[in-house]
Amino acid sequence: MKQEEQQFLNDLDKKLWNAADRLRSNVDAAEYKHVVLGLIFLKYVSDAFDERRQEVEDMLRDEDHDYGVLRANYDSDEEYEQTIREEQEIRDYYTEKNVFWVPALARWKTLRDNANLSPGSKITITNGKKEEYEFRSVAKLIDDALEAIEKENPRLKGVLDKRYAQRHIDASVLIGLINHISEIPFQHKSLGAKDILGHVYEYFLGEFALAEGKKGGQYFTPKSIVGLIVEMLQPYKGRVYDPAMGSGGFFVQSEKFIEQHGGKLGNISVYGQESNPTTWRLAAMNMAIRGIDFNFGNEPANSFSSDKHPDLRADFVMANPPFNMKEWNSGVKEDDPRWQYGTPPANNANFAWMQHMLYHLAPNGSMALLLANGSMSSNTNNEGEIRKNLIEADRVECMVALPGQLFTNTQIPACIWFLARTKQGGKQKELADPNSDKGNNPVLRDRSGEVLFIDARSLGYMKDRILRDFSEDDIRKIADTFHAWRNDVIASEAKQSLYEDIPGFCKSATLDEIKKHDYVLTPGRYVGAVEEEDDGEPFADKMQRLTTQLKEQFEQSDTLEAEIKKNLAGLGYEV
């Protein structure tokens, strides 16, 4: 992103968050994000509709266009203008461009211009024909606007949170919020409306996660972690699945990855599941504002007890499930076909998530999931046996140890597991980078019997006093290492770079080596220590020099201590 674009977005973030945050004391903390994000969604779909509406008008007024309206066919300007207005209300013009049809009641201008009305006032709505709407309250108007959008757009059914009137928010608070959101400029000379809205939405999710602490993490995964996983898996084409999707961060980053590499968003199909109703709505709204076609099931549901995609076999599976979740198996049979590598313990869902994801993985698919570090070494309650079975079945492809302080909601050390149904290799046409040179597309080599270990604990930087983050260089270093190990030839800046073990950072280990470590998958056991640069001084000479230096420092310390005691005694103090 250009510096000017980034500055525009940063200024917009600060302005909107500060404005909205001032209103937070008037709204219950648990409801605040839904109040704000619902209005942001309403503003965006209305702006996108208005943008397309202007395009339709320009097209209709262009007499050389196939759909142009000829002025000569009308007796008066009034009749001609009326025809233009009626044509602009034909929904096919909007749906053909994947723009939500927004009825007149739900358009932002209607909301903004009538928010201050007194109860009982009449609003004239022109939606192809004139209708009257009785205003009761600004909260009821918002609910009715959202209801109208849902009714006109079936894929939003049950997605929008239409409870503004139930929340009993003071009208002045809602009016103030509407006025502030009205200032969101969804137009920029080089950034599209979808890009701006998507950025604002993602920024607000991150701020809410920080404000809510542990609870907020249920719908927000750090962007750099999501970006790292997407860069490593490279989902160019196929079915993408997240069984613990939160607000849909993996899908958003997949979209960005595809756009950055010249692919088409329509090449992927998005499937997800989420048990928390409010988070499920946030995810669906997140997809809707970005124009991503999605299937999140017909309702929020538990992935273990009510799998909404039982027949799905995805090409890419990515997830950040809750760490070490207890009591997850209510309504789940012990002989469930998903537990191919062993029955997960009832007090920890880590290996339940892993096997659920493997079950939904296509024969040539790849998957990644974030788990607590304990998953790499625990031997309690059948976990060690499951891990052993996964390793011996050659499902584990790569292990990445992460630095601490990456998450807003937990300080538990984490790692990333990368698994595959097959590691035999072969040309991956569906994964080929369309921008790469002909004949230089990724060719997966046979990695059977090998596991790549990456220790990334020393990477990253402190973005503030609390949180660590990965830089683009950090992400590139990890991803390029994985691709160099995985591919015979990789399409990147390095061109045809080949993998090499780097002490202290990465190691390609055999299954026999892993067996010698009792099937523990902690990268630190395999990568070893960082090699120190040889300064040319023989070890014996260096030890003699350092020992002499240490002795001199001890003597200086004794001399200093005696001098301090002498001075204190002169002041009348005994030591």
Side-chain angles (χ1 to χ4, degrees):
M1 184 175 293
K2 299 176 183 177
Q3 186 174 354
E4 185 274 332
E5 293 174 341
Q6 189 61 59
Q7 188 60 48
F8 167 82
L9 294 176
N10 290 344
D11 292 343
L12 184 63
D13 289 341
K14 190 179 297 184
K15 179 180 180 181
L16 286 173
W17 180 258
N18 289 341
D21 203 40
R22 286 198 296 270
L23 304 174
R24 183 165 53 166
S25 60
N26 297 281
V27 181
D28 183 72
E31 300 292 326
Y32 179 56
K33 63 177 173 288
H34 304 295
V35 173
V36 174
L37 291 174
L39 284 171
I40 288 176
F41 174 80
L42 195 57
K43 173 70 161 63
Y44 169 72
V45 294
S46 182
D47 278 16
F49 177 87
D50 288 343
E51 187 177 330
R52 176 58 181 162
R53 196 170 192 271
Q54 184 61 53
E55 291 175 0
V56 171
E57 181 177 348
D58 294 343
M59 177 183 70
L60 295 172
R61 293 187 185 280
D62 181 0
E63 295 194 359
D64 293 329
H65 196 281
D66 291 343
Y67 296 111
V69 178
L70 299 179
R71 171 64 184 84
N73 291 340
Y74 297 88
D75 296 331
S76 65
D77 288 344
E78 182 179 349
E79 186 180 357
Y80 172 73
E81 293 297 332
Q82 178 63 25
T83 300
I84 296 289
R85 286 192 294 271
E86 290 176 357
E87 278 283 314
Q88 283 180 285
E89 296 296 328
I90 296 176
R91 64 180 299 139
D92 287 350
Y93 286 128
Y94 304 87
T95 54
E96 71 181 5
K97 293 294 184 179
N98 203 26
V99 173
F100 287 108
W101 168 256
V102 182
L105 177 65
R107 295 170 194 172
W108 191 259
K109 186 178 187 301
T110 303
L111 184 61
R112 182 194 63 211
D113 293 349
N114 297 287
N116 285 297
L117 290 180
S118 301
S121 300
K122 302 291 184 181
I123 300 175
T124 301
I125 305 297
T126 304
N127 204 26
K129 59 181 180 179
K130 289 186 177 181
E131 299 177 357
E132 279 198 341
Y133 171 85
E134 182 177 346
F135 180 87
R136 300 180 190 176
S137 69
V138 63
K140 184 67 168 61
L141 178 58
I142 296 170
D143 285 339
D144 290 344
L146 293 169
E147 179 71 37
I149 290 178
E150 244 188 38
K151 184 177 179 180
E152 294 289 346
N153 301 275
R155 61 181 165 142
L156 292 177
K157 184 178 180 181
V159 167
L160 306 182
D161 194 341
K162 307 174 290 295
R163 296 181 298 153
Y164 283 78
Q166 292 180 27
R167 291 184 172 105
H168 303 293
I169 303 169
D170 188 89
S172 63
V173 173
L174 279 178
I175 292 169
L177 193 54
I178 289 169
N179 290 336
H180 286 305
I181 292 176
S182 294
E183 298 176 15
I184 300 178
F186 283 127
Q187 290 83 31
H188 183 271
K189 60 184 179 182
S190 56
L191 291 172
K194 185 180 73 170
D195 299 318
I196 297 171
L197 186 277
H199 173 86
V200 169
Y201 195 93
E202 188 172 309
Y203 174 79
F204 268 52
L205 283 176
E207 290 299 312
F208 287 130
L210 285 172
E212 295 181 25
K214 184 175 181 179
K215 183 180 177 183
Q218 68 183 332
Y219 57 81
F220 186 79
T221 304
K223 184 168 63 174
S224 62
I225 302 299
V226 177
L228 171 62
I229 289 175
V230 170
E231 281 289 338
M232 293 177 76
L233 289 188
Q234 298 185 321
Y236 283 108
K237 186 176 182 179
R239 298 172 296 275
V240 180
Y241 173 53
D242 183 348
M245 67 184 179
S247 60
F250 282 111
F251 304 133
V252 172
Q253 288 298 319
S254 296
E255 174 209 25
K256 292 179 180 178
F257 179 85
I258 290 168
E259 290 178 346
Q260 288 167 0
H261 291 78
K264 296 180 180 179
L265 184 58
N267 287 343
I268 66 168
S269 303
V270 165
Y271 299 83
Q273 189 156 342
E274 171 62 44
S275 61
N276 184 294
T278 53
T279 310
W280 182 82
R281 290 192 182 96
L282 288 177
M285 287 167 60
N286 205 1
M287 299 302 102
I289 62 178
R290 298 171 187 278
I292 299 176
D293 198 18
F294 61 93
N295 181 345
F296 293 164
N298 59 348
E299 62 183 354
N302 184 298
S303 292
F304 295 131
S305 59
S306 182
D307 190 347
K308 291 298 180 180
H309 309 287
D311 300 321
L312 174 66
R313 296 298 179 266
D315 301 287
F316 304 97
V317 184
M318 301 175 275
N320 172 25
F323 292 172
N324 306 324
M325 191 171 80
K326 302 181 185 301
E327 299 177 1
W328 58 271
N329 61 341
S330 177
V332 181
K333 297 179 180 179
E334 284 196 14
D335 60 349
D336 191 293
R338 289 173 289 185
W339 314 148
Q340 183 179 349
Y341 304 94
T343 303
N347 65 344
N348 194 318
N350 287 344
F351 286 98
W353 286 113
M354 189 179 299
Q355 293 189 86
H356 173 86
M357 292 167 69
L358 267 172
Y359 179 80
H360 284 289
L361 193 62
N364 291 310
S366 299
M367 61 170 272
L369 76 159
L370 281 154
L371 287 179
N373 276 358
S375 62
M376 298 187 290
S377 58
S378 172
N379 287 314
T380 59
N381 298 321
N382 205 39
E383 289 184 339
E385 190 65 23
I386 297 174
R387 186 173 59 252
K388 174 184 175 182
N389 293 338
L390 286 164
I391 294 167
E392 291 190 338
D394 209 12
R395 296 291 179 260
V396 182
E397 187 171 36
C398 176
M399 301 296 302
V400 179
L402 298 173
Q405 296 179 267
L406 287 172
F407 300 89
T408 59
N409 61 323
T410 181
Q411 293 301 312
I412 298 175
C415 61
I416 311 175
W417 289 66
F418 289 86
L419 297 95
R421 282 205 169 273
T422 178
K423 297 193 286 184
Q424 291 181 356
K427 192 173 181 66
Q428 298 291 296
K429 294 181 181 179
E430 291 189 347
L431 303 182
D433 186 339
N435 289 335
S436 65
D437 297 331
K438 186 177 181 181
N440 196 30
N441 288 332
V443 179
L444 300 188
R445 67 178 183 85
D446 189 342
R447 293 101 58 219
S448 301
E450 299 177 48
V451 176
L452 175 64
F453 291 92
I454 298 177
D455 192 340
R457 289 176 298 173
S458 64
L459 300 184
Y461 66 97
M462 295 303 295
K463 62 187 296 186
D464 54 39
R465 292 186 302 105
I466 301 172
L467 289 175
R468 180 178 291 273
D469 203 356
F470 279 143
S471 68
E472 290 184 8
D473 287 342
D474 294 328
I475 292 175
R476 190 177 301 113
K477 178 179 180 179
I478 299 170
D480 281 355
T481 299
F482 178 62
H483 296 149
W485 174 83
R486 201 169 182 243
N487 306 331
D488 283 332
V489 178
I490 64 171
S492 73
E493 296 176 4
K495 293 294 182 186
Q496 299 188 13
S497 63
L498 300 176
Y499 171 82
E500 291 182 0
D501 289 342
I502 301 175
F505 178 65
C506 62
K507 164 72 175 178
S508 181
T510 65
L511 297 189
D512 286 339
E513 290 177 271
I514 295 172
K515 185 176 181 180
K516 291 177 182 177
H517 285 277
D518 296 324
Y519 300 97
V520 170
L521 294 176
T522 307
R525 288 200 176 199
Y526 300 90
V527 302
V530 178
E531 286 186 347
E532 294 187 8
E533 186 176 345
D534 186 2
D535 57 8
E537 184 179 9
F539 177 77
D541 293 347
K542 181 182 290 188
M543 284 300 297
Q544 181 63 43
R545 176 176 59 80
L546 293 175
T547 302
T548 302
Q549 185 178 336
L550 182 62
K551 182 181 178 181
E552 292 173 354
Q553 290 174 345
F554 280 150
E555 290 173 351
Q556 292 174 3
S557 177
D558 292 340
T559 301
L560 182 60
E561 181 182 0
E563 190 66 28
I564 292 172
K565 288 180 179 179
K566 180 180 176 181
N567 290 338
L568 288 174
L571 295 172
Y573 294 96
E574 290 186 9
V575 180

